[in-house]
Amino acid sequence: MPLYKRKPFSLVEKPKDLKPQELVFQVRFTKEIFRDYSEYLKRINLYRKRVWTCKATGKINLTYEEALVSEKEAAEKIQNFPKELVAPVLREIQFSMLTLRDLANSVAAKLQGPFSEGAVLNGRKDGRLHRCKIVKVPEEVDKTQYEVAWLGSDNKVTGKALVKGEHLTGKKLPFTRAVLKSFIKDSTYRSFPWVLHDSLAKEHGISTAPPKELKSKISIEDGLIVSNRKRKRSDHEKNTGEANENGFVHRKGNEKPEAQAIKYPTDDLLVQPSEEDQYLTERPSPCRDFCVPMECVGNLLMVWDFCTSFGRLLNLSPFSLGDFENAICHKDSTPPLIVESYSALLRLLIKDNGDFSMAIENKKRKPKITAITWTEYLCDFVETSCALKLSTYVSTIKRGHYGLLDINVKLEIFRELVARVLETDIVREKLDEYIEERHAFASTRRDEALEEGKKRREEKGRRKAETDVKEVVVEHTLKSAASNHNGLNGVISEKRNEKVIFRQNHSSGNSESERGIIPEKNAKKQKDANALIEDTNNSSRKALKLMKVDIKEAIETKNTAQRKEYLEREMEKRIVRTNSLGKDRNRNRYWFFRREAKIFVESTDSMQWGYYETKEELDALIGSLNPKGERERALKKQLEKNYNKINLELQKRSKEAAHRIAMEEEAVLRRSTRVRAPPRENPAFAFLKYVNKWKEL
């Protein structure tokens, strides 16, 4: 497997309880499966970075897929390694303390072997290689000259000479040094010393017992060779360790080596307890008070978030999550909120002229959906677009008993309807429009930041110039007072005055450039931008430029703080999707929705939900996150970044709840105990008063 920053990288395990018909995201070349698209996208982006290393060849700066291809090619070359050379090479590798490069060179030199009499080689003569034959091998070891006979094209001897061994080239190896290095790395499980895999060593009859000269450098732990380098053992460990017949220390299975220092931040599950943990607050338990069943909360939030986020497109005025939850749970009748929500979604499907629109035309229904006929259109949708299990509830809906359906059935129908609406061209065009507008606002925000930074630099330069002028004037005054000679004093004063005038003129010139040249440059840039807008053929870039012009006109009269607030607010209005704030140590997701002052907590399997709704709980949550873990560090950063916005919404909700309770208590005191208020005046039944103010007439 490819190495991540030269270290092993583990793949994501297959999700548990994966259903056969569940929609998931799979990485093509690793076969990893993700339920969450953001996690899948994060992993894909990681694989596309050039931070991977081929484990077989050692090539660096590769993408994950390129590293896989490199390892595959190296494996194919290793399979073609000459079988007759495998055993000799493995014997040279076992327990070698050389570097990979030196080991490969040593093995290659030994495979080529010493030159012997009668060997036909290539020798260097007159700067060129010629075929030759060894006639006599030097008897002395230190002597490096060989007596050779030069061979012609017909293998006849053309002459004799003494040639140095370094000028002789032996037979060429049947593999390259790169293949040899890959073979070495593939055959071993560690380096310094290089140790073969036990199965490979036994197959070729190679000893796995370390040589005695390495006794002080290595030890055996759980049957594997471990280096003693950079390891300090106490006298107790030395005394309690069991030594084998060769003097090597064997560690028992339950004995652990010294803990290595962990570099933070790291994976949250690898974070070790420390004294700093005492400063972390206790994490509050989230409230789980939902009206709907726990397994239905995810669908409830998804449907409500879509309806409120795209209310203008649906012509559906927003409503609170509590009202939507109460309306879903209401069984006595079908509340207006439910009727209007279904009607708005179905109207958009009809406008899209898709499969559902064709089904409506085939049944010759009227295109207008009313509070009376909405069930007919809903039944048509369930029959044509939903799964077979939902079609069994059509008869109940037709009889006017929608409220009697189970809550999970109601939300499942809503979920299917929202999924179909998301696939329509109308919604996709609106999303594209939102994305372009968000790009325009983001680009304007970057321009504002650059302009603000430029102004700060100019102001800093101006202050520095003023400081330099003051220093020259002070220096001139001190030297003039210290001088005892008038003539010399006059000369010095004249020179200093010239310097002061020069610095002042230089400073004034800079000021003029700041006042005059920069606006000219800005005007030139604006002119070039206008020319680019007129000449470009790319409509999207034209639209982006025009939108930026409109945005700059809208914020022209505002100060810096108001501009930032305006740009952030407008970007939030053009919502494309709601992303989670992050995950904690146990991979629970945290969500914050714009129109609901709560922080929702989702378990890893999406079957358990909870929420925090007070400032105290928010502060306790932030204080409980451990920044040593990667996930909790990122979550804490997001919560701190959005703290003011979330806190403002939580406080607003608390004030509204307190005011509502006070009003209810006051109403109870004023009202006679014999007279009860009508149901619709009860705040718990506020969802029955819902009116769609954005309804299309």
Side-chain angles (χ1 to χ4, degrees):
M1 297 296 292
L3 304 177
Y4 176 63
K5 294 182 179 179
R6 298 181 181 272
K7 294 182 181 179
F9 184 82
S10 57
L11 300 180
V12 175
E13 296 181 0
K14 185 178 179 181
K16 298 179 181 178
D17 302 329
L18 194 64
K19 299 178 182 178
Q21 314 216 349
E22 184 177 354
L23 296 178
V24 295
F25 304 94
Q26 186 181 43
V27 180
R28 171 175 50 82
F29 41 84
T30 63
K31 306 304 179 185
E32 293 173 291
I33 296 177
F34 297 87
R35 284 192 172 103
D36 184 27
Y37 178 72
S38 60
E39 291 294 322
Y40 163 78
L41 192 61
K42 183 179 179 181
R43 184 55 63 99
I44 282 291
N45 291 334
L46 176 62
Y47 287 152
R48 289 174 178 171
K49 291 181 180 179
R50 293 192 172 275
V51 294
W52 300 93
T53 302
C54 174
K55 186 177 181 180
T57 63
K59 293 181 181 178
I60 61 174
N61 298 331
L62 303 175
T63 64
Y64 190 91
E65 196 167 6
E66 290 174 348
L68 281 177
V69 173
S70 178
E71 290 183 357
K72 183 179 179 182
E73 293 176 352
E76 293 175 353
K77 292 178 180 178
I78 292 173
Q79 293 297 326
N80 297 328
F81 198 85
K83 294 182 179 180
E84 64 275 8
L85 298 179
V86 171
V89 171
L90 292 179
R91 290 190 180 91
E92 293 295 329
I93 295 173
Q94 183 74 312
F95 298 116
S96 173
M97 295 293 289
L98 298 175
T99 63
L100 179 62
R101 181 179 180 180
D102 293 341
L103 179 58
N105 292 337
S106 174
V107 171
K110 290 184 178 181
L111 288 178
Q112 287 179 330
F115 302 133
S116 58
E117 291 184 7
V120 178
L121 310 169
N122 291 324
R124 188 169 296 278
K125 177 183 177 183
D126 300 331
R128 297 178 62 185
L129 290 176
H130 298 271
R131 294 180 72 248
C132 62
K133 183 178 181 180
I134 300 293
V135 177
K136 187 177 181 181
V137 178
E139 296 180 358
E140 299 178 7
V141 178
D142 296 337
K143 196 172 181 180
T144 58
Q145 287 187 336
Y146 294 83
E147 184 178 347
V148 300
W150 302 108
L151 302 178
S153 58
D154 52 357
N155 290 333
K156 291 184 178 180
V157 178
T158 59
K160 294 184 178 181
L162 291 175
V163 181
K164 292 182 178 181
E166 60 187 23
H167 292 162
L168 295 173
T169 304
K171 59 183 179 180
K172 194 173 182 180
L173 293 174
F175 49 80
T176 62
R177 299 292 172 91
V179 174
L180 180 57
K181 290 179 181 179
S182 300
F183 178 78
I184 294 172
K185 296 177 74 173
D186 186 66
S187 304
T188 57
Y189 67 83
R190 64 157 294 120
S191 59
F192 304 110
W194 297 91
V195 183
L196 299 175
H197 295 291
D198 288 344
S199 59
L200 193 62
K202 291 178 182 178
E203 181 182 350
H204 295 278
I206 300 174
S207 174
T208 56
K212 292 185 178 181
E213 58 267 19
L214 296 179
K215 182 174 69 172
S216 61
K217 297 181 180 180
I218 61 175
S219 60
I220 301 177
E221 180 181 345
D222 295 334
L224 299 177
I225 300 296
V226 179
S227 176
N228 288 336
R229 185 174 50 182
K230 296 182 181 179
R231 178 179 296 148
K232 296 180 180 180
R233 294 183 300 166
S234 63
D235 295 337
H236 175 73
E237 290 175 329
K238 292 180 180 178
N239 295 332
T240 57
E242 296 180 2
N244 62 6
E245 56 183 3
N246 294 325
F248 294 99
V249 177
H250 289 263
R251 282 193 176 89
K252 297 179 181 179
N254 56 358
E255 292 182 358
K256 296 182 179 179
E258 294 182 4
Q260 298 180 355
I262 300 176
K263 185 178 180 181
Y264 296 113
T266 185
D267 187 88
D268 297 68
L269 299 178
L270 299 178
V271 176
Q272 300 296 325
S274 65
E275 296 181 358
E276 299 175 359
D277 295 347
Q278 62 181 338
Y279 300 107
L280 299 177
T281 60
E282 184 179 356
R283 186 165 304 173
S285 299
C287 179
R288 304 188 187 276
D289 185 16
F290 296 101
C291 296
V292 301
M294 188 62 70
E295 64 272 11
C296 299
V297 176
N299 286 339
L300 177 78
L301 289 171
M302 187 272 290
V303 174
W304 168 79
D305 183 48
F306 178 80
C307 291
T308 53
S309 300
F310 295 90
R312 287 292 181 184
L313 181 63
L314 297 171
N315 294 314
L316 181 67
S317 57
F319 43 84
S320 68
L321 177 62
D323 287 347
F324 184 58
E325 187 177 14
N326 290 330
I328 285 289
C329 297
H330 192 67
K331 292 190 175 184
D332 294 343
S333 61
T334 305
L337 191 152
I338 299 296
V339 175
E340 292 295 337
S341 300
Y342 274 124
S343 301
L345 294 169
L346 291 169
R347 286 192 195 100
L348 195 140
L349 278 182
I350 294 174
K351 288 181 182 178
D352 188 59
N353 297 325
D355 296 338
F356 178 69
S357 179
M358 294 177 61
I360 295 299
E361 290 180 3
N362 294 335
K363 293 189 177 183
K364 298 181 180 180
R365 297 195 185 280
K366 295 180 181 180
K368 188 174 182 180
I369 302 176
T370 64
I372 299 174
T373 61
W374 71 276
T375 54
E376 299 176 1
Y377 293 87
L378 181 61
C379 292
D380 293 339
F381 172 78
V382 173
E383 291 175 342
T384 57
S385 303
C386 293
L388 184 62
K389 63 178 181 179
L390 294 178
S391 301
T392 58
Y393 302 101
V394 170
S395 58
T396 305
I397 299 174
K398 286 183 177 179
R399 290 197 302 269
H401 300 310
Y402 172 84
L404 299 178
L405 294 177
D406 292 337
I407 294 174
N408 61 337
V409 175
K410 294 179 183 178
L411 288 173
E412 189 67 23
I413 296 174
F414 258 121
R415 191 186 69 82
E416 290 290 335
L417 186 53
V418 169
R420 293 294 181 274
V421 169
L422 278 170
E423 296 174 356
T424 60
D425 294 336
I426 298 174
V427 173
R428 291 186 177 277
E429 289 174 3
K430 193 65 177 178
L431 287 174
D432 292 339
E433 180 184 339
Y434 279 173
I435 291 172
E436 290 179 359
E437 291 177 355
R438 286 177 65 89
H439 285 171
F441 281 107
S443 179
T444 306
R445 185 172 60 181
R446 286 194 298 270
D447 294 345
E448 289 287 320
L450 291 173
E451 188 66 25
E452 187 177 350
K454 184 178 179 182
K455 288 180 180 179
R456 285 198 301 267
R457 290 193 297 271
E458 290 174 357
E459 180 66 20
K460 185 177 179 181
R462 185 182 63 78
R463 291 179 180 177
K464 185 177 180 181
E466 291 178 355
T467 304
D468 291 343
V469 171
K470 290 180 180 178
E471 289 177 356
V472 171
V473 172
V474 171
E475 183 182 358
H476 163 66
T477 305
L478 293 174
K479 287 195 175 184
S480 298
S483 178
N484 296 324
H485 301 283
N486 294 333
L488 183 60
N489 188 21
V491 172
I492 294 174
S493 301
E494 184 177 356
K495 289 183 178 181
R496 289 300 180 186
N497 287 332
E498 288 177 359
K499 290 184 178 181
V500 172
I501 293 170
F502 172 76
R503 297 295 295 271
Q504 289 176 341
N505 290 339
H506 184 67
S507 176
S508 62
N510 289 340
S511 300
E512 289 175 2
S513 66
E514 291 171 4
R515 292 192 298 270
I517 296 175
I518 291 173
E520 289 178 6
K521 289 183 178 180
N522 290 339
K524 186 177 180 181
K525 289 181 180 178
Q526 184 65 31
K527 186 177 180 181
D528 294 340
N530 293 336
L532 182 62
I533 292 174
E534 294 174 359
D535 297 337
T536 184
N537 295 324
N538 193 331
S539 59
S540 62
R541 294 188 64 183
K542 281 184 179 180
L544 180 62
K545 293 288 184 181
L546 292 174
M547 281 190 284
K548 287 181 65 175
V549 171
D550 294 339
I551 294 170
K552 289 183 178 180
E553 289 179 356
I555 65 176
E556 188 175 3
T557 58
K558 302 179 184 294
N559 57 35
T560 304
Q562 291 174 341
R563 289 182 178 185
K564 289 182 179 179
E565 183 180 354
Y566 173 80
L567 293 173
E568 291 291 341
R569 185 173 62 252
E570 292 300 320
M571 286 185 68
E572 287 183 0
K573 287 181 181 179
R574 291 151 179 82
I575 186 170
V576 177
R577 58 176 294 175
T578 302
N579 295 317
S580 65
L581 295 170
K583 299 178 180 179
D584 62 11
R585 173 187 175 90
N586 299 319
R587 300 184 184 275
N588 297 317
R589 288 190 184 88
Y590 289 74
W591 300 85
F592 178 75
F593 299 97
R594 210 160 43 96
R595 297 181 181 273
E596 185 66 18
K598 294 179 182 178
I599 297 177
F600 290 89
V601 187
E602 176 191 8
S603 64
T604 53
D605 57 359
S606 303
M607 298 303 292
Q608 291 292 325
W609 288 82
Y611 60 86
Y612 301 113
E613 57 180 349
T614 64
K615 178 181 180 299
E616 292 74 19
E617 290 177 332
L618 173 62
D619 294 337
L621 172 63
I622 294 176
S624 68
L625 297 174
N626 194 336
K628 292 182 179 179
E630 294 174 344
R631 290 188 293 276
E632 293 201 352
R633 184 187 186 91
L635 175 59
K636 186 173 184 178
K637 185 177 180 180
Q638 285 297 318
L639 286 172
E640 290 175 345
K641 178 181 177 181
N642 299 283
Y643 180 81
N644 292 333
K645 179 173 65 175
I646 297 174
N647 188 30
L648 183 65
E649 293 294 331
L650 294 178
Q651 290 181 346
K652 182 179 177 182
R653 178 185 178 86
S654 299
K655 289 179 180 179
E656 290 177 353
H659 178 71
R660 184 170 60 252
I661 293 172
M663 292 294 292
E664 290 177 0
E665 291 177 352
E666 184 179 356
V668 170
L669 291 175
R670 292 183 178 181
R671 192 168 60 237
S672 171
T673 56
R674 295 184 180 181
V675 180
R676 291 187 178 180
R680 286 182 179 270
E681 294 182 6
N682 191 331
F685 294 95
F687 64 93
L688 297 174
K689 293 183 178 181
Y690 174 79
V691 177
N692 186 7
K693 299 178 182 179
W694 295 350
K695 186 175 182 179
E696 188 176 9
L697 300 176

